[in-house]
Amino acid sequence: MQRRVTGLIAVVSALGMTAVLGGCGGGSAGSGNVTLRLVAADYGDSKANSSQKYWDKLTKAYEAEHPGIEIEVDVYSWNDVDAKVKKMVAEGDAPDMAQIGAYADYAAKGQLYKVEELLSIDTQSDFVSRLSEAGEVDRTQYGMPFASSTRLLFYNKKLFSDAGLTPPESWSDLAADAKVLKSRGVKYPYALPLGPEEAQAETMMWLLSGGEGYTDAVGSYGIDSEQNIDTFTWLKEELVEKGLTGPVAPAKLNRAQAFAAFTRGEVGMLNGHPTLMKAAEAKGVKFGMVPMPGVNGRSKATMGVADWMMAFKKNGHAEQIGDFLDYVYSDKNVLDFSHEYDLLPVTTSASDAMAADKDDAHLLEFLEELPNAELYPVAQTSWASVSADIKKQIGKAVSPEGNPAAILGQLQRSAAARENAS
């Protein structure tokens, strides 16, 4: 059968079972010829490892076992994929499935199938519980986690060894280590990427390490909480103003730049995800990884990230979609994807398999953080807009003329207004 896969390649900004069926999904894909359309994000950084190859192989195998079912996959870069799906939906041409960064706005408009209407019970219950919960709106799951990762603090082992340092466990340790590294001529003692590429991630890691986050205990935005203001005040006064974050202003330093500097041996410490390991190893940089330091010791929570699969009601096909997604979330396919892109499995069974495989030992520390990870508030329909605001504004909080309380207050007011409007 003919499959259609198109791709625009870009680096990322971001799972089989049958038995008893949930809702009308799972089981047999039914009779008759059906074409399912999937729009997916590209996790590759070149044509050689484009997600096109992953989906091409998977759909070919699925179609061979399911005559009469055709899967068309369009792969777009992370720069374009969310906007592409939004445009398709607005024009009344929603795909059957989309694998993108956010689901809540579509769920709030009643455009998505509930997960229980699609997947077999075995598949639905196999999702890592933390990720399943993050896929819920009003306690009903609409978003299916597709890929996940956590964050750890990376440090350059040679720079630390030469300076006689040990990895930090608290903020004061981190600042002290950074001060020594600066005195020894390290270009970026601690790289603080608050540029527009992924500032919302670096921000959340620091907010969590300070004891808070983007939302309060009941899920409402609390960006300008006292603890969050204290966190950014500390960053500004103890790291940035003391020249411990390098020659590029945090507001202008993007994650990709910081990662590249780390692979050149110019960074003492920075927060990173699994893909940084391969890049550093390729350049011969020896590194260690530890949990994010907190105010007075290890941070009680780490940041987790998940990307989402969702299914639109527009064209029907719930039974066929469910059967295909049961196949997508089989252990083999989940692990194949995770291994290709150094990401973490989103199912318990695949996570257990990864933890038991000595070839995956390099991912174990990240995997251990996942059950207690805090994710972006993706169930908020306003999150995509709020995240965009954070990317544009948060770097100003640590600039020379910046006022952390004023910037966080501005972001909070905007977030509350966006949530009320949505």
Side-chain angles (χ1 to χ4, degrees):
M1 284 184 182
Q2 185 70 29
R3 285 177 315 284
R4 177 166 53 87
V5 187
T6 62
L8 296 174
I9 312 303
V11 179
V12 177
S13 41
L15 324 195
M17 314 70 181
T18 50
V20 184
L21 305 183
C24 61
S28 170
S31 59
N33 294 323
V34 173
T35 297
L36 300 178
R37 293 187 301 151
L38 165 64
V39 175
D42 199 334
Y43 290 79
D45 56 9
S46 68
K47 289 184 178 180
N49 70 344
S50 167
S51 295
Q52 168 182 340
K53 291 189 174 182
Y54 172 80
W55 286 113
D56 194 35
K57 181 180 178 181
L58 185 151
T59 56
K60 182 178 180 180
Y62 180 81
E63 289 174 350
E65 298 176 8
H66 298 80
I69 304 296
E70 181 177 352
I71 313 294
E72 294 183 352
V73 183
D74 291 302
V75 176
Y76 296 92
S77 79
W78 275 105
N79 293 331
D80 303 312
V81 68
D82 289 283
K84 179 68 176 179
V85 172
K86 184 176 182 179
K87 183 174 184 290
M88 293 173 71
V89 173
E91 294 175 348
D93 188 33
D96 296 284
M97 295 162 284
Q99 186 271 298
I100 52 178
Y103 66 87
D105 50 346
Y106 300 119
K109 295 174 183 175
Q111 296 169 325
L112 301 181
Y113 283 114
K114 300 174 184 177
V115 174
E116 65 186 22
E117 296 177 303
L118 300 168
L119 301 181
S120 68
I121 290 175
D122 283 352
T123 302
Q124 186 177 0
S125 63
D126 197 30
F127 288 127
V128 174
S129 59
R130 199 73 165 178
L131 302 179
S132 286
E133 293 166 4
E136 295 178 355
V137 174
D138 294 331
R139 300 192 177 184
T140 298
Q141 187 179 357
Y142 296 92
M144 292 162 274
F146 182 75
S148 67
S149 70
T150 55
R151 302 291 194 263
L152 292 171
L153 182 76
F154 283 65
Y155 64 95
N156 184 306
K157 280 188 172 182
K158 185 178 189 308
L159 296 178
F160 267 64
S161 176
D162 290 349
L165 300 174
T166 56
E169 296 183 0
S170 67
W171 286 2
S172 58
D173 292 342
L174 188 149
D177 287 349
K179 184 177 180 181
V180 173
L181 292 169
K182 180 186 178 183
S183 72
R184 296 177 61 85
V186 175
K187 191 171 183 179
Y188 295 88
Y190 176 84
L192 182 65
L194 294 178
E197 180 190 2
E198 205 189 30
Q200 85 285 359
E202 184 73 12
T203 298
M204 184 168 172
M205 284 181 272
W206 278 100
L207 297 185
L208 290 173
S209 73
E212 282 283 339
Y214 286 128
T215 55
D216 58 24
V218 296
S220 299
Y221 287 114
I223 297 173
D224 64 344
S225 70
E226 182 177 349
Q227 283 177 283
N228 288 346
I229 291 172
D230 287 346
T231 294
F232 264 79
T233 299
W234 186 88
L235 279 174
K236 176 179 167 64
E237 295 178 353
E238 300 300 324
L239 292 186
V240 180
E241 290 183 351
K242 293 184 178 180
L244 303 180
T245 56
V248 179
K252 295 183 178 180
L253 183 66
N254 283 321
R255 181 197 61 178
Q257 293 172 273
F259 278 18
F262 189 82
T263 66
R264 294 193 300 267
E266 299 173 353
V267 175
M269 298 171 280
L270 85 171
N271 287 314
H273 51 65
T275 58
L276 180 57
M277 293 187 297
K278 185 179 293 185
E281 288 169 351
K283 294 295 183 69
V285 174
K286 303 296 183 183
F287 60 89
M289 301 176 296
V290 293
M292 179 69 178
V295 180
N296 297 309
R298 174 180 172 175
S299 176
K300 295 179 181 178
T302 189
M303 189 187 81
V305 176
D307 301 321
W308 303 95
M309 179 74 76
M310 63 212 69
F312 289 89
K313 295 179 180 179
K314 176 71 176 177
N315 304 315
H317 301 152
E319 184 178 0
Q320 291 85 358
I321 293 170
D323 188 83
F324 175 65
L325 291 178
D326 277 343
Y327 182 82
V328 168
Y329 285 107
S330 67
D331 282 356
K332 177 185 182 303
N333 288 325
V334 172
L335 288 169
D336 282 351
F337 186 85
S338 299
H339 289 146
E340 179 64 32
Y341 300 108
D342 281 328
L343 293 167
L344 304 180
V346 296
T347 62
T348 301
S349 58
S351 295
D352 290 344
M354 177 176 279
D357 190 340
K358 63 181 181 180
D359 291 336
D360 290 324
H362 62 297
L363 291 170
L364 190 58
E365 291 179 79
F366 292 95
L367 197 60
E368 290 173 344
E369 294 292 312
L370 188 57
N372 296 316
E374 295 287 342
L375 280 74
Y376 296 132
V378 290
Q380 306 276 40
T381 57
S382 59
W383 170 244
S385 297
V386 172
S387 176
D389 289 343
I390 293 168
K391 290 179 182 182
K392 294 176 183 176
Q393 301 295 332
I394 195 64
K396 298 176 182 177
V398 297
S399 65
E401 68 281 359
N403 181 319
I407 295 298
L408 292 176
Q410 176 185 331
L411 288 168
Q412 171 62 24
R413 289 188 295 274
S414 176
R418 290 184 183 279
E419 184 62 18
N420 290 333
S422 65

